Amino acid sequence: MERVLSGMQSSGRVHLGNLVGALQNWVRLQDAYECYYFIADWHALTSGYENPSVLRESVNDLLINFLAAGLDPDKCTIFIQSKVLEHAELHLLLSMITPLGWLERVPTYKEKQHELKERDLSTYGFLGYPLLQTADIIMYRAKHVPVGVDQVPHLEISREIARRFNHFYGEIFPEPEALLTQFPKVPGVDGRKMSKSYDNAIYLSDSPKEVEHKIRTMATDPARIRRHDTGDPELSPVFQLHKVFSNKEEQDEVAEGCRTAGIGCIDCKKVLIKNVFKVLEPIWRKREQLINNPDQLKEIVDKGTDKARKAAQETMVLVRKAMGLV
Ligand code: TRP
């Protein structure tokens, strides 16, 4: 079986965008590939280094959400990055052969610095973010890396570094490929991309009441002031969410109802609430069960981490030897 690897940064709560854009895809892949999925807690530190308490909680919550979303520890390997120290070693060794210009040119470097202006991201660790990611990926000699389009530049630099390593030291690493996710972007309740920094996200840890409230108070087409005003569904963020969570028939129905004023905005939102609940209800149930079983969580992640570490150690034997470290 070919290997798949992916990670998620533990820097806050998991929202529907993470679920649909990443986790559900990971769940599908676990039957067809040998999958490694991990919590990138070191990556969370690259931009959130001032907040250890957020990190501590996020790691636990992310683990719960991995499992609640359907990752099955009998089918895939789930682990925590910082518990496999080999990632740090490989990151260091790769840093020897990585030209600074390659890192400075990664578009996410300047973009994220700009986006998070309030934080000081002129650090060594932040510049090295894609290099640490490269170490994560090539450590497992993974062929496929399921990610959203925003991660494509990181995959590109991973390939370049793998190639450079192989050029100097012999063919050890296959070049990883991005496996692009079907729904890369889920809009938030304000129509922009769902993101915790926009304060427009629906979280897996939100209660049913909170989810309902967030959807009920969403803006719709501003032309629909009164019930009999007709609207354009394409101008409503509610409809954008229908495109992700409702079936084709329901989408056609609410779109038609909007254009003709056949239904009101609340009717339209009720359909969306029902469909979002359908996705979240099993997750809420599993979260509840897992939150009450910290021992079970620990056992799962310890086992996954041990397995990942073994695979990483095998790679590091080759890498050290190739680089003259014997
Ligand atoms: N950069 C990824 C993100 O923000 C997280 C990540 C870290 C990752 N290491 C990885 C993803 C390795 C895939 C492979 O989502």
Side-chain angles (χ1 to χ4, degrees):
M1 265 207 277
E2 285 181 322
R3 259 192 203 167
V4 156
L5 171 127
S6 199
M8 201 176 276
Q9 207 174 294
S10 49
S11 47
R13 289 174 293 166
V14 174
H15 55 61
L16 285 177
N18 308 129
L19 177 72
V20 173
L23 288 178
Q24 288 183 339
N25 194 39
W26 293 9
V27 171
R28 282 191 288 272
L29 293 168
Q30 63 184 351
D31 290 312
Y33 295 94
E34 183 192 358
C35 295
Y36 284 77
Y37 298 127
F38 71 98
I39 294 174
D41 52 349
W42 277 335
H43 277 103
L45 277 180
T46 61
S47 52
Y49 53 85
E50 289 154 321
N51 260 323
S53 61
V54 173
L55 186 60
R56 196 176 313 116
E57 272 165 39
S58 304
V59 169
N60 194 48
D61 194 55
L62 192 51
L63 177 61
I64 289 171
N65 284 325
F66 274 14
L67 298 166
L71 291 188
D72 178 348
D74 291 329
K75 294 181 182 166
C76 66
T77 303
I78 299 169
F79 68 99
I80 298 178
Q81 181 187 38
S82 68
K83 298 289 178 285
V84 182
L85 296 177
E86 285 75 7
H87 288 230
E89 183 184 0
L90 185 55
H91 175 226
L92 174 82
L93 293 176
L94 294 176
S95 77
M96 308 302 170
I97 64 164
T98 304
L100 270 183
W102 288 15
L103 292 170
E104 285 160 347
R105 270 201 308 273
V106 175
T108 50
Y109 176 56
K110 294 239 164 62
E111 281 165 23
K112 268 266 168 333
Q113 273 187 335
H114 185 73
E115 203 179 295
L116 302 171
K117 266 200 282 316
E118 71 288 356
R119 298 192 195 162
D120 180 4
L121 297 182
S122 57
T123 57
Y124 180 56
F126 188 71
L127 178 67
Y129 185 113
L131 188 60
L132 180 57
Q133 184 163 351
T134 301
D136 299 336
I137 296 169
I138 67 179
M139 179 71 89
Y140 300 91
R141 285 172 279 169
K143 188 96 199 68
H144 308 283
V145 185
V147 284
V149 273
D150 60 311
Q151 295 293 312
V152 167
H154 294 164
L155 263 291
E156 236 147 65
I157 192 171
S158 298
R159 274 200 300 281
E160 278 166 6
I161 293 168
R163 212 175 298 142
R164 190 166 163 92
F165 184 99
N166 292 344
H167 169 77
F168 286 134
Y169 309 114
E171 289 289 323
I172 292 188
F173 296 117
E175 289 178 27
E177 303 257 358
L179 200 64
L180 286 181
T181 326
Q182 201 184 350
F183 283 115
K185 279 201 179 126
V186 178
V189 292
D190 61 358
R192 294 187 291 172
K193 181 187 172 187
M194 187 176 285
S195 156
K196 63 180 180 308
S197 35
Y198 293 154
D199 197 21
N200 65 358
I202 294 174
Y203 295 100
L204 306 197
S205 55
D206 282 345
S207 67
K209 262 213 173 80
E210 284 169 310
V211 174
E212 185 169 356
H213 177 76
K214 284 180 179 178
I215 296 177
R216 271 183 181 269
T217 51
M218 278 178 76
T220 54
D221 178 359
R224 294 203 71 183
I225 299 164
R226 276 177 232 94
R227 170 69 178 76
H228 61 261
D229 295 328
T230 59
D232 177 354
E234 291 302 335
L235 299 178
S236 164
V238 178
F239 189 61
Q240 301 309 313
L241 277 176
H242 272 295
K243 286 184 185 168
V244 181
F245 293 102
S246 302
N247 65 35
K248 188 77 184 66
E249 221 165 77
E250 288 166 319
Q251 287 178 38
D252 290 347
E253 247 172 62
V254 295
E256 177 66 11
C258 181
R259 274 186 220 104
T260 59
I263 61 169
C265 293
I266 283 293
D267 304 317
C268 170
K269 287 171 175 176
K270 277 188 186 151
V271 179
L272 180 61
I273 290 167
K274 175 192 74 150
N275 291 330
V276 169
F277 270 39
K278 218 184 278 168
V279 172
L280 284 176
E281 266 160 0
I283 293 179
W284 284 328
R285 270 198 301 278
K286 280 198 224 160
R287 278 182 54 88
E288 186 69 24
Q289 190 257 325
L290 291 162
I291 286 168
N292 293 317
N293 274 299
D295 293 345
Q296 185 194 1
L297 281 175
K298 185 168 165 15
E299 194 182 314
I300 289 170
V301 79
D302 282 352
K303 195 164 153 232
T305 303
D306 284 344
K307 183 165 171 223
R309 190 181 300 113
K310 275 213 187 74
Q313 282 169 346
E314 282 171 22
T315 302
M316 288 316 294
V317 169
L318 303 176
V319 169
R320 289 185 203 118
K321 194 160 154 222
M323 293 183 81
L325 298 163
V326 278

